[in-house]
Amino acid sequence: MDRRVRRLIAFPCGGDTLIGSLDEAPGATGLLIVSGGNEIRAGAHRGMAMLAATLAAEGVPVFRYDRRGIGDSSGENRGFYAARDDLLAAAAAFRAEAPHITRLTGFGNCDAATTLALHGKAAGIARVLLANPWVIEPVDGLPPPAAIRAHYAARLRDPATWRRALSGGVSIGKFIRGLRRISDGSTEAGSLAATALPAIAGWGSKATVILAEGDATAIAYADAAKRAAVAPRTIVIPSTSHSFARQADAAALAAAIRDLVNACE
C-alpha cells in the first residue's frame, strides 16, 4: 500500500519561526493552503488536514502553515491584513522542501481567500481558489445587510417572530438594528471591498470563487461583487457551512481544487 508522508517544516518569517505541514506527493503542481481567521493549519474539524491527505494520495503535494502568532508558529498575531510576509515565506518554504514542484496553486477560505487575492501573485502562485471571500467588515456585531436580507427578511414578515420578540425570545436591540440595516439602503462599500474586489478581478481566468450558498460571508461577497461588476468563475455549493464541514461539501471542495490543479497541468 502506498503511504504518503506528512512532514513538519519550520521556516523563518520576519525574525519569527513558522510551522508548516507538507503532505508529500510526486505531482508537479503543489497546493498551498492558507488558513483563515485564527484557525490553525488543520482547519475546522481537521478539515484542511483531511483535505491535504486526500489530495496527496491522488498525487498532489500540499503545504499548510500557521501564520505568525497562530498554532505552533511564534510571533504576534496581527490578522490577515499583515499576513503577506507569512504567505511569501510559506510559498518559498514549499518550493524549497518540494523542489520538483514547478507550479503553485493556492486555496483559502474567508479572509485567507482575501490574503491570497491580494498577495498570491507576489508569492508566485499561478491560480487561486477563493472560498467565501471576506470583503465586507461587520458593523455593530451584525452580519452585512445582504446576509441579513437573505436570512431574515422572511422572518421579519412572520407574526411569530414579533411574538417571540415581545416575549423576550429575540434580542429587541439586535432585532431593531437588523431592521435598520435592511432598510437603510446601504451599499456596503468599504475600504476592504474597495481593495479586495479589484484584487480578485485582477486574477482574471486564474481565479475561481467557491461559495457556500447560505453562508453570511458568501452572501455578502456575492452582493458586493455584483455591485462592483466583479464576475470571476464561481461555483456555488448548496450549503450553509462556512467551513464546508459536511461530507458532500468537502467532496465538492476537493473536486474544485482538482479542477484548479488540472488547469495548471
Side-chain angles (χ1 to χ4, degrees), residues 28-32 87 91 94-95 101-107 116-117 119-130 200 202-208 259-265:
T29 299
L31 177 70
L32 179 62
L87 173 61
F94 193 1
R95 290 189 178 93
I101 291 174
T102 58
R103 293 167 298 275
L104 283 188
T105 55
F107 164 69
L116 272 172
H119 308 303
K121 291 179 182 178
I125 292 172
R127 289 179 180 269
V128 290
L129 178 64
L130 310 174
I200 293 171
W203 283 87
S205 63
K206 306 298 185 183
T208 298
D259 288 346
L260 180 76
V261 170
N262 290 337
C264 285
E265 298 296 340

Side-chain angles (χ1 to χ4, degrees), residues 176-243:
I176 292 173
R177 290 198 303 273
L179 279 172
R180 287 175 178 166
R181 294 207 74 195
I182 288 175
S183 62
D184 69 3
S186 170
T187 63
E188 302 186 27
S191 60
L192 178 57
T195 302
L197 290 171
I200 293 171
W203 283 87
S205 63
K206 306 298 185 183
T208 298
V209 171
I210 186 166
L211 301 176
E213 186 176 30
D215 172 61
T217 302
I219 291 168
Y221 161 80
D223 182 72
K226 182 178 180 180
R227 292 173 186 272
V230 173
R233 176 175 179 260
T234 301
I235 300 168
V236 178
I237 296 177
S239 173
T240 59
S241 175
H242 181 71
S243 60

Side-chain angles (χ1 to χ4, degrees), residues 22-250:
L22 171 61
D23 284 67
E24 296 183 332
T29 299
L31 177 70
L32 179 62
I33 296 179
V34 182
S35 298
N38 294 320
E39 223 169 64
I40 61 173
R41 63 187 184 275
H45 316 291
R46 298 193 69 252
M48 294 302 100
M50 291 186 288
L51 174 64
T54 296
L55 293 171
E58 297 172 0
V60 181
V62 183
F63 191 86
R64 299 169 287 117
Y65 66 98
D66 294 331
R67 72 165 186 257
R68 282 172 289 186
I70 297 292
D72 296 319
S73 295
S74 68
E76 178 185 357
N77 177 12
R78 295 185 292 164
F80 81 97
Y81 282 111
R84 179 183 186 275
D85 289 348
D86 307 65
L87 173 61
L88 269 60
F94 193 1
R95 290 189 178 93
E97 296 292 334
H100 65 285
I101 291 174
T102 58
R103 293 167 298 275
L104 283 188
T105 55
F107 164 69
N109 187 22
C110 196
D111 61 29
T114 309
T115 296
L116 272 172
L118 292 171
H119 308 303
K121 291 179 182 178
I125 292 172
R127 289 179 180 269
V128 290
L129 178 64
L130 310 174
N132 305 321
W134 179 263
V135 299
I136 301 295
E137 298 278 20
V139 176
D140 297 331
L142 292 170
I148 294 176
R149 288 192 294 269
H151 285 294
Y152 305 123
R155 296 183 185 180
L156 295 175
R157 295 190 294 269
D158 184 353
T161 300
W162 294 97
R163 288 196 295 271
R164 286 185 60 220
L166 292 173
S167 66
V170 173
S171 168
I172 297 296
K174 188 172 183 179
F175 190 71
I176 292 173
R177 290 198 303 273
L179 279 172
R180 287 175 178 166
R181 294 207 74 195
I182 288 175
S183 62
D184 69 3
S186 170
T187 63
E188 302 186 27
S191 60
L192 178 57
T195 302
L197 290 171
I200 293 171
W203 283 87
S205 63
K206 306 298 185 183
T208 298
V209 171
I210 186 166
L211 301 176
E213 186 176 30
D215 172 61
T217 302
I219 291 168
Y221 161 80
D223 182 72
K226 182 178 180 180
R227 292 173 186 272
V230 173
R233 176 175 179 260
T234 301
I235 300 168
V236 178
I237 296 177
S239 173
T240 59
S241 175
H242 181 71
S243 60
F244 304 96
R246 299 180 182 88
Q247 185 175 0
D249 304 345

